[in-house]
Amino acid sequence: MSRYRAFGLNREPFAAEPDLAMMAPALGQTDALARLRQAALSRAGLALVTGEPGIGKTTVRLALGRDLRVEPSLLIAELTDPAAWRTDITFLRAATSAFGITASGRTMLELTTELQKSLGALIEEDIWPLLIVDDAQRLTSSQVDLVRSLLGPDERAPRLSVLLFGEPEIEERINRRQALARQLAMRHTLNPLNASDAAGLVQFRLRVAGAEDDVEIFTPEALAQLVERSGGNPRALLTLAAATVDLAASTRQTSIDRETAQAALRRDAIGGSADAPATGHGKR
């Protein structure tokens, strides 16, 4: 954190972990949130958000959960750790537990029956169950089939809503299952940020972190360098921005110009080579 104080900041602006306070308005994410809220509130069956790693799926999921938890007619269950549901049994147990349902079943059939019965009782009380799954590309083939089973056979009257967030291959697997594909009421692909939204993301985070409105930490030329190298991927962009600040702080600069950005992009610690795309860690 000390390296940011030289820039007048009071908190880390480019942390790897998602932070809703740092979620800048961007067209693709704003549109995804609006469509997902509508899908959940209209009690649609299956909704899908796909995108490459680092594109912002987890941030959208977190924002959606925040927005929907104030809806008294929804009961939300979230599965966010694939390590906790490696098998079909553990997937069903994780879903049951996430809904706050106590199940005693030991077999697949017993667990499925208990879960469906409990969800049916919720619907009778006018409470709609909503299952959100992150890293959905990690679902096994049989778990994808379990999702179809939980949704039920009639796409016009699903037994719950399921929102899947995952990399593009999950959509391909859904499309290969006609019965499940018919349940797909909404799909949205998160694409790389355009140049304006990408630059806006960096500037927004700097302002949240305490930068004064009249202080220019990145010159427009320096920021354009980072945006271009990142390809509009938020995770890559923020990793580049953090590394550039590190370099500037090590030379006691209080403003980052084009030359500093170029020097940072050449460092092996960022991209491996001057021509390699930047990558980062953490989910966004």
Side-chain angles (χ1 to χ4, degrees):
M1 178 60 218
S2 60
R3 66 192 184 280
Y4 291 108
R5 293 198 179 100
F7 297 95
L9 306 179
N10 52 41
R11 62 178 293 189
E12 160 73 72
F14 307 124
E17 292 303 314
D19 182 348
L20 291 182
M22 291 284 188
M23 184 180 178
L27 181 61
Q29 294 183 351
T30 301
D31 185 37
L33 274 173
R35 297 184 66 201
L36 286 165
R37 281 196 294 266
Q38 177 60 31
L41 294 174
S42 64
R43 303 190 174 188
L46 181 62
L48 176 66
V49 176
T50 60
E52 298 296 336
I55 209 69
K57 299 183 297 295
T58 296
T59 299
V60 171
R61 175 183 64 78
L62 291 171
L64 181 70
R66 174 199 62 196
D67 294 349
L68 292 182
R69 288 191 189 283
V70 301
E71 297 290 340
S73 63
L74 294 177
L75 177 63
I76 301 173
E78 294 188 83
L79 301 184
T80 62
D81 180 12
W85 33 269
R86 290 193 177 101
T87 68
D88 294 352
I89 287 285
T90 55
F91 176 80
L92 284 171
R93 285 177 177 159
T96 301
S97 176
F99 276 119
I101 297 169
T102 301
S104 59
R106 295 185 177 183
T107 68
M108 289 279 298
L109 178 59
E110 289 171 343
L111 283 169
T112 302
T113 300
E114 284 186 78
L115 179 56
Q116 290 177 338
K117 182 178 179 180
S118 297
L119 295 180
L122 287 170
I123 294 171
E124 289 181 1
E125 297 176 7
D126 201 27
I127 298 174
W128 186 249
L130 171 63
L131 177 63
I132 300 175
V133 182
D134 204 359
D135 280 329
Q137 76 280 355
R138 302 274 296 275
L139 292 169
T140 66
S141 293
S142 56
Q143 287 169 349
V144 174
D145 291 334
L146 273 176
V147 169
R148 181 190 60 78
S149 176
L150 292 175
L151 284 164
D154 187 353
E155 63 268 23
R156 295 167 298 181
R159 295 170 176 158
L160 78 164
S161 292
V162 179
L163 309 185
L164 301 180
F165 292 79
E167 295 175 18
E169 55 262 37
I170 185 60
E171 184 169 8
E172 299 171 8
R173 293 163 64 196
I174 290 172
N175 288 337
R176 290 197 295 268
R177 294 166 167 80
Q178 292 185 6
L180 185 57
R182 287 195 297 270
Q183 296 270 17
L184 195 53
M186 173 258 170
R187 69 183 78 197
H188 186 98
T189 300
L190 287 173
N191 294 308
L193 301 176
N194 60 37
S196 176
D197 281 346
L201 172 62
V202 173
Q203 300 288 24
F204 180 87
R205 282 176 164 254
L206 289 171
R207 298 294 176 258
V208 172
E212 298 292 339
D213 291 340
D214 58 349
V215 174
E216 184 179 77
I217 294 177
F218 287 87
T219 67
E221 296 77 14
L223 191 51
Q225 290 276 307
L226 303 186
V227 168
E228 181 179 0
R229 173 59 69 87
S230 73
N233 182 289
R235 185 191 300 169
L237 174 60
L238 297 175
T239 300
L240 285 169
T244 306
V245 168
D246 285 346
L247 178 59
S250 70
T251 55
R252 293 183 171 83
Q253 299 178 54
T254 56
S255 179
I256 298 170
D257 58 18
R258 178 185 179 92
E259 288 70 29
T260 303
Q262 289 177 331
L265 292 176
R266 288 193 295 267
R267 296 179 67 175
D268 290 344
I270 303 175
S273 74
D275 298 320
T279 58
H281 302 284
K283 295 173 67 177
R284 292 193 185 281

